[in-house]
Amino acid sequence: MQAAQSRAVVITDLVARERPTLRGLLRQLAGARGHFTLAGSPERVADVIEDWIESRAADGFNVMPPILPAQLDVFVDHVVPILQRRGLFRREYEADTLRGHYGLARPPNPHFPT
């Protein structure tokens, strides 16, 4: 319910701010589903991501390329290396599981004692 309400706020704010035609609104919502969109060179994309991280506006990102897998490959092959050079994206994982990445202990399993 809360997600639907926040999506409605995003859309009404977009309409109030940009006053798009119905066609323009549908085009924007169909591609990005109302989310912030960014296009440009790999350096520009990395600059925006870096700015958001440094200004504490974000602590993570969901990449939603319009064409899969081609555009995701472009992001991984061209933007990620820039972010890695800047120290903003890991080069290796320190653990094998999500639990391990968060530093959480593995709970005991009564069916398989350690």
Side-chain angles (χ1 to χ4, degrees):
M1 181 70 170
Q2 188 175 8
Q5 290 174 339
S6 64
R7 176 63 55 219
V9 170
V10 167
I11 294 169
T12 55
D13 287 351
L14 184 144
V15 169
R17 185 178 59 251
E18 298 182 18
R19 312 291 293 170
T21 63
L22 180 57
R23 179 180 298 229
L25 177 63
L26 292 175
R27 184 179 302 124
Q28 187 163 356
L29 295 177
R33 299 176 287 288
H35 294 280
F36 174 76
T37 58
L38 177 62
S41 70
E43 290 79 14
R44 181 178 185 291
V45 173
D47 289 344
V48 171
I49 291 172
E50 181 175 16
D51 182 53
W52 280 39
I53 291 170
E54 288 181 353
S55 64
R56 302 180 71 97
D59 61 359
F61 296 89
N62 292 319
V63 178
M64 301 181 337
I67 301 170
L68 287 169
Q71 292 300 309
L72 182 59
D73 291 342
V74 170
F75 182 84
V76 169
D77 293 343
H78 298 281
V79 178
V80 169
I82 296 169
L83 296 173
Q84 288 174 328
R85 283 193 298 275
R86 296 178 185 184
L88 300 171
F89 196 94
R90 71 179 81 202
R91 292 179 182 274
E92 295 181 17
Y93 286 95
E94 299 169 8
D96 294 335
T97 64
L98 180 60
R99 180 181 304 281
H101 294 307
Y102 285 114
L104 301 173
R106 185 175 180 170
N109 184 333
H111 301 289
F112 298 98
T114 54

